Short mmCIF file of all heavy atoms in Angstrom, two decimals:
data_model
loop_
_atom_site.label_atom_id
_atom_site.label_comp_id
_atom_site.label_asym_id
_atom_site.label_seq_id
_atom_site.Cartn_x
_atom_site.Cartn_y
_atom_site.Cartn_z
N ARG L 373 27.44 -12.87 -4.13
CA ARG L 373 26.32 -11.93 -3.84
C ARG L 373 25.92 -11.94 -2.33
O ARG L 373 25.85 -13.07 -1.78
CB ARG L 373 25.11 -12.21 -4.67
CG ARG L 373 25.28 -12.08 -6.17
CD ARG L 373 25.76 -10.65 -6.60
NE ARG L 373 24.77 -9.71 -6.08
CZ ARG L 373 25.15 -8.63 -5.36
NH1 ARG L 373 26.42 -8.43 -5.10
NH2 ARG L 373 24.28 -7.80 -5.00
N LYS L 374 25.81 -10.80 -1.80
CA LYS L 374 25.36 -10.67 -0.39
C LYS L 374 23.88 -10.09 -0.35
O LYS L 374 23.47 -9.75 0.75
CB LYS L 374 26.32 -9.90 0.43
CG LYS L 374 27.69 -10.48 0.54
CD LYS L 374 28.60 -9.59 1.35
CE LYS L 374 30.06 -9.94 1.11
NZ LYS L 374 30.96 -8.85 1.52
N HIS L 375 23.32 -9.84 -1.51
CA HIS L 375 22.00 -9.29 -1.62
C HIS L 375 21.28 -9.88 -2.81
O HIS L 375 21.92 -10.48 -3.68
CB HIS L 375 22.10 -7.76 -1.71
CG HIS L 375 20.81 -7.07 -1.26
ND1 HIS L 375 19.64 -7.09 -2.02
CD2 HIS L 375 20.53 -6.37 -0.12
CE1 HIS L 375 18.68 -6.39 -1.36
NE2 HIS L 375 19.22 -5.96 -0.23
N THR L 376 19.94 -9.81 -2.69
CA THR L 376 19.12 -10.41 -3.79
C THR L 376 18.99 -9.44 -4.95
O THR L 376 18.51 -9.79 -6.06
CB THR L 376 17.66 -10.72 -3.25
OG1 THR L 376 17.15 -9.53 -2.70
CG2 THR L 376 17.78 -11.84 -2.20
N LEU L 377 19.44 -8.20 -4.72
CA LEU L 377 19.42 -7.21 -5.81
C LEU L 377 20.78 -7.28 -6.49
O LEU L 377 21.79 -7.17 -5.84
CB LEU L 377 19.22 -5.78 -5.22
CG LEU L 377 19.57 -4.63 -6.17
CD1 LEU L 377 18.54 -4.46 -7.24
CD2 LEU L 377 19.62 -3.33 -5.38
N THR L 378 20.77 -7.49 -7.80
CA THR L 378 22.01 -7.70 -8.51
C THR L 378 21.97 -7.00 -9.88
O THR L 378 20.95 -6.97 -10.52
CB THR L 378 22.24 -9.18 -8.79
OG1 THR L 378 22.36 -9.90 -7.49
CG2 THR L 378 23.50 -9.47 -9.61
N LYS L 379 23.10 -6.35 -10.18
CA LYS L 379 23.24 -5.79 -11.55
C LYS L 379 24.00 -6.74 -12.41
O LYS L 379 25.07 -7.24 -12.00
CB LYS L 379 23.94 -4.46 -11.46
CG LYS L 379 23.94 -3.63 -12.71
CD LYS L 379 24.45 -2.29 -12.57
CE LYS L 379 24.12 -1.37 -13.73
NZ LYS L 379 24.53 -0.01 -13.46
N VAL L 380 23.42 -7.09 -13.48
CA VAL L 380 24.03 -8.08 -14.39
C VAL L 380 24.46 -7.31 -15.65
O VAL L 380 24.00 -6.27 -15.99
CB VAL L 380 23.12 -9.23 -14.69
CG1 VAL L 380 22.79 -10.05 -13.49
CG2 VAL L 380 21.89 -8.76 -15.43
N ASP L 381 25.47 -7.99 -16.33
CA ASP L 381 25.96 -7.38 -17.59
C ASP L 381 25.87 -8.38 -18.67
O ASP L 381 26.50 -9.48 -18.67
CB ASP L 381 27.47 -6.96 -17.36
CG ASP L 381 28.09 -6.25 -18.52
OD1 ASP L 381 27.48 -6.44 -19.66
OD2 ASP L 381 29.02 -5.49 -18.35
N THR L 382 25.01 -8.15 -19.64
CA THR L 382 24.78 -9.11 -20.69
C THR L 382 25.24 -8.48 -22.07
O THR L 382 24.70 -8.86 -23.16
CB THR L 382 23.23 -9.51 -20.73
OG1 THR L 382 22.52 -8.27 -20.87
CG2 THR L 382 22.89 -10.24 -19.47
N THR L 383 26.18 -7.60 -21.93
CA THR L 383 26.78 -7.02 -23.25
C THR L 383 27.29 -8.06 -24.17
O THR L 383 27.13 -7.95 -25.34
CB THR L 383 27.87 -5.95 -22.83
OG1 THR L 383 27.48 -5.21 -21.77
CG2 THR L 383 28.24 -5.13 -24.02
N GLY L 384 27.89 -9.05 -23.54
CA GLY L 384 28.50 -10.12 -24.32
C GLY L 384 27.55 -11.25 -24.75
O GLY L 384 27.93 -12.23 -25.29
N SER L 385 26.31 -11.10 -24.35
CA SER L 385 25.36 -12.20 -24.65
C SER L 385 24.07 -11.57 -25.25
O SER L 385 24.01 -11.49 -26.49
CB SER L 385 25.02 -12.97 -23.34
OG SER L 385 24.58 -12.06 -22.33
N PHE L 386 23.14 -11.17 -24.48
CA PHE L 386 21.87 -10.69 -24.97
C PHE L 386 22.01 -9.45 -25.89
O PHE L 386 21.19 -9.29 -26.81
CB PHE L 386 20.82 -10.46 -23.88
CG PHE L 386 20.49 -11.73 -23.08
CD1 PHE L 386 20.61 -11.81 -21.68
CD2 PHE L 386 20.02 -12.87 -23.79
CE1 PHE L 386 20.30 -12.96 -21.10
CE2 PHE L 386 19.77 -14.08 -23.06
CZ PHE L 386 19.87 -14.07 -21.73
N ASP L 387 22.98 -8.65 -25.51
CA ASP L 387 23.09 -7.47 -26.33
C ASP L 387 23.65 -7.79 -27.73
O ASP L 387 23.29 -7.11 -28.70
CB ASP L 387 24.07 -6.47 -25.69
CG ASP L 387 23.95 -5.09 -26.26
OD1 ASP L 387 22.87 -4.54 -26.39
OD2 ASP L 387 25.03 -4.49 -26.71
N ARG L 388 24.36 -8.81 -27.82
CA ARG L 388 24.89 -9.25 -29.13
C ARG L 388 23.64 -9.72 -30.01
O ARG L 388 23.66 -9.44 -31.22
CB ARG L 388 25.86 -10.50 -29.04
CG ARG L 388 27.31 -10.01 -28.81
CD ARG L 388 28.24 -11.10 -28.42
NE ARG L 388 28.00 -12.28 -29.25
CZ ARG L 388 28.20 -13.55 -28.89
NH1 ARG L 388 28.61 -13.84 -27.60
NH2 ARG L 388 27.96 -14.58 -29.66
N ILE L 389 22.71 -10.37 -29.36
CA ILE L 389 21.55 -10.80 -30.14
C ILE L 389 20.73 -9.57 -30.49
O ILE L 389 20.23 -9.48 -31.63
CB ILE L 389 20.67 -11.76 -29.25
CG1 ILE L 389 21.47 -13.02 -28.94
CG2 ILE L 389 19.33 -12.04 -29.85
CD1 ILE L 389 21.01 -13.81 -27.77
N ALA L 390 20.59 -8.65 -29.57
CA ALA L 390 19.83 -7.38 -29.81
C ALA L 390 20.31 -6.67 -31.04
O ALA L 390 19.59 -6.07 -31.80
CB ALA L 390 19.83 -6.52 -28.60
N ASN L 391 21.64 -6.70 -31.27
CA ASN L 391 22.24 -5.97 -32.41
C ASN L 391 21.66 -6.33 -33.73
O ASN L 391 21.54 -5.50 -34.70
CB ASN L 391 23.73 -6.22 -32.44
CG ASN L 391 24.38 -5.43 -31.37
OD1 ASN L 391 23.90 -4.46 -30.83
ND2 ASN L 391 25.58 -5.94 -30.94
N THR L 392 21.21 -7.59 -33.87
CA THR L 392 20.67 -8.06 -35.12
C THR L 392 19.19 -8.43 -35.07
O THR L 392 18.65 -8.89 -36.14
CB THR L 392 21.44 -9.26 -35.64
OG1 THR L 392 21.37 -10.26 -34.68
CG2 THR L 392 22.94 -8.93 -35.81
N HIS L 393 18.58 -8.30 -33.90
CA HIS L 393 17.23 -8.74 -33.81
C HIS L 393 16.31 -7.60 -34.26
O HIS L 393 16.56 -6.40 -34.09
CB HIS L 393 16.89 -9.01 -32.27
CG HIS L 393 15.71 -9.84 -32.08
ND1 HIS L 393 14.36 -9.29 -32.22
CD2 HIS L 393 15.54 -11.16 -31.81
CE1 HIS L 393 13.52 -10.25 -32.02
NE2 HIS L 393 14.22 -11.41 -31.71
N ALA L 394 15.18 -8.05 -34.93
CA ALA L 394 14.24 -7.07 -35.48
C ALA L 394 13.70 -6.15 -34.38
O ALA L 394 13.42 -4.96 -34.59
CB ALA L 394 13.11 -7.83 -36.18
N ARG L 395 13.51 -6.72 -33.18
CA ARG L 395 12.97 -5.89 -32.09
C ARG L 395 14.04 -5.24 -31.26
O ARG L 395 13.80 -4.68 -30.24
CB ARG L 395 12.12 -6.85 -31.20
CG ARG L 395 10.78 -7.29 -31.76
CD ARG L 395 9.74 -6.21 -31.54
NE ARG L 395 9.36 -6.11 -30.08
CZ ARG L 395 8.86 -4.96 -29.53
NH1 ARG L 395 8.65 -3.93 -30.36
NH2 ARG L 395 8.64 -4.90 -28.30
N ARG L 396 15.30 -5.32 -31.79
CA ARG L 396 16.47 -4.75 -31.09
C ARG L 396 16.46 -5.19 -29.58
O ARG L 396 16.20 -6.30 -29.23
CB ARG L 396 16.50 -3.23 -31.20
CG ARG L 396 16.31 -2.63 -32.57
CD ARG L 396 17.39 -3.02 -33.59
NE ARG L 396 18.73 -2.48 -33.27
CZ ARG L 396 19.81 -2.64 -34.06
NH1 ARG L 396 19.73 -3.35 -35.18
NH2 ARG L 396 20.97 -2.08 -33.73
N GLY L 397 16.76 -4.26 -28.71
CA GLY L 397 16.91 -4.56 -27.29
C GLY L 397 15.66 -5.07 -26.67
O GLY L 397 15.69 -5.75 -25.59
N TYR L 398 14.47 -4.82 -27.29
CA TYR L 398 13.25 -5.26 -26.69
C TYR L 398 12.98 -6.78 -26.77
O TYR L 398 12.11 -7.23 -26.13
CB TYR L 398 12.04 -4.43 -27.37
CG TYR L 398 12.01 -2.98 -27.02
CD1 TYR L 398 12.78 -2.07 -27.74
CD2 TYR L 398 11.38 -2.60 -25.87
CE1 TYR L 398 12.75 -0.75 -27.32
CE2 TYR L 398 11.42 -1.26 -25.43
CZ TYR L 398 12.15 -0.37 -26.18
OH TYR L 398 12.16 0.91 -25.75
N PHE L 399 13.80 -7.42 -27.58
CA PHE L 399 13.62 -8.85 -27.74
C PHE L 399 13.65 -9.59 -26.33
O PHE L 399 12.81 -10.47 -26.09
CB PHE L 399 14.59 -9.44 -28.66
CG PHE L 399 15.78 -10.08 -28.00
CD1 PHE L 399 15.82 -11.46 -27.70
CD2 PHE L 399 16.90 -9.35 -27.68
CE1 PHE L 399 16.89 -12.00 -27.04
CE2 PHE L 399 17.99 -9.90 -27.04
CZ PHE L 399 17.95 -11.25 -26.70
N LEU L 400 14.51 -9.18 -25.47
CA LEU L 400 14.70 -9.81 -24.23
C LEU L 400 13.43 -9.55 -23.30
O LEU L 400 12.94 -10.55 -22.72
CB LEU L 400 15.94 -9.34 -23.48
CG LEU L 400 16.19 -9.95 -22.13
CD1 LEU L 400 16.45 -11.52 -22.27
CD2 LEU L 400 17.41 -9.32 -21.43
N TYR L 401 12.99 -8.37 -23.33
CA TYR L 401 11.79 -8.00 -22.60
C TYR L 401 10.55 -8.83 -23.07
O TYR L 401 9.86 -9.42 -22.35
CB TYR L 401 11.48 -6.54 -22.76
CG TYR L 401 10.32 -6.00 -22.04
CD1 TYR L 401 10.33 -5.78 -20.73
CD2 TYR L 401 9.12 -5.75 -22.74
CE1 TYR L 401 9.15 -5.30 -20.09
CE2 TYR L 401 8.01 -5.25 -22.18
CZ TYR L 401 8.04 -4.99 -20.77
OH TYR L 401 6.90 -4.47 -20.15
#
Side-chain angles (χ1 to χ4, degrees):
Chain L
R373 300 298 307 126
K374 297 178 194 160
H375 202 285
T376 55
L377 167 71
T378 297
K379 190 171 198 174
V380 297
D381 185 336
T382 56
T383 313
S385 54
F386 297 127
D387 195 54
R388 274 172 43 211
I389 295 162
N391 286 336
T392 59
H393 198 285
R395 287 276 293 155
R396 313 294 296 182
Y398 288 91
F399 96 92
L400 182 61
Y401 180 79

